[in-house]
Amino acid sequence: MSMPGASPRPPAPDEVRLRKILDDTLVAPHWPDGFLMRCFTHTDAQALHALLGEAFEEDGPEPFDTWWPRIADDAEFDPDLCFLVIDQKGLLAGAALCWTSGFVKDLAVHPGSRRHGIGEALMRHAFLAFRDRGAAHVDLKTSTARNAAAVRLYERLGMVEVDWAG
C-alpha cells in the first residue's frame, strides 16, 4: 500500500510516518488572536504555492505551472480539506493541505507567523474535519532531521510513529 501524496521512492532514513487516532479525546483548535481560518478557493492557489516556498525554503514546491495542475488534478485533492489561516492584513499565514484519504500532505506556517500556535490549531482542525468525515486516523510523513520542531508538535498532539506499510 502506498501512502497518499508520497513519492514512489522509498523513505529516507530520517523520514517517519506519524499517525493520530481520531477518538473522542480530540481537542478543538484555538485560533490565535488576529488570525482566522477558512477553506481554500482556487484564487488562493498562487498564495498557497508562495507560502509553501517560504515555509520549506529549499524543499519548496516546483514552479507553480507544474505544481498547481498536479495538485488540482489529483483525485485526493478536495478544496474543503485545504485549510488556510489568514492574518489581520489579509495575508496567508499558514495552511494545511490534506488529501481525502486522511493524509496531511503539507503543513506550512509562514516564518513571520510562527510561534503563535497556528500549526497546532491547523492540525487540531484537520483532526476534527477527518473525524467528521468518518476517518479513524490521520497520517503524515516528515523528516526527523529537517523538521525537528514539527516532530515535537506532532508528538505533543498525540501522533505516534507507525510502519510505512501501515
Side-chain angles (χ1 to χ4, degrees):
M1 173 178 161
S2 65
M3 283 191 356
S7 60
R9 66 174 173 70
D14 67 334
E15 289 180 333
V16 294
R17 179 178 181 176
L18 300 176
R19 174 170 291 168
K20 172 68 175 175
I21 302 299
L22 303 178
D23 55 23
D24 54 1
T25 64
L26 296 181
V27 175
H30 168 74
W31 301 105
D33 290 340
F35 295 91
L36 64 87
M37 194 285 303
R38 68 171 173 79
C39 287
F40 176 90
T41 66
H42 290 290
T43 59
D44 295 313
Q46 291 269 1
L48 177 58
H49 181 265
L51 173 67
L52 295 173
E54 285 280 331
F56 298 129
E57 297 172 1
E58 70 277 353
D59 292 331
E62 65 263 41
F64 181 81
D65 292 339
T66 304
W67 173 82
W68 177 237
R70 186 176 55 76
I71 296 298
D73 296 340
D74 194 295
E76 289 208 40
F77 176 69
D78 178 347
D80 291 339
L81 289 173
C82 183
F83 311 114
L84 307 180
V85 175
I86 310 301
D87 69 13
Q88 290 176 321
K89 297 175 187 171
L91 301 175
L92 186 57
L97 172 58
C98 304
W99 288 144
T100 57
S101 61
F103 188 82
V104 178
K105 181 188 177 318
D106 292 305
L107 176 70
V109 177
H110 189 279
S113 296
R114 291 183 182 156
R115 309 213 49 85
H116 292 284
I118 293 169
E120 178 177 342
L122 280 164
M123 289 299 294
R124 290 187 186 282
H125 184 81
F127 296 157
L128 291 170
F130 279 111
R131 188 181 70 185
D132 289 349
R133 287 179 169 228
H137 58 81
V138 169
D139 288 355
L140 59 77
K141 78 170 185 172
T142 192
S143 164
T144 56
R146 291 173 301 187
N147 299 324
V151 171
R152 288 190 299 275
L153 166 66
Y154 302 142
E155 289 173 344
R156 240 185 11 258
L157 291 169
M159 299 189 85
V160 295
E161 187 172 347
V162 294
D163 187 70
W164 283 99

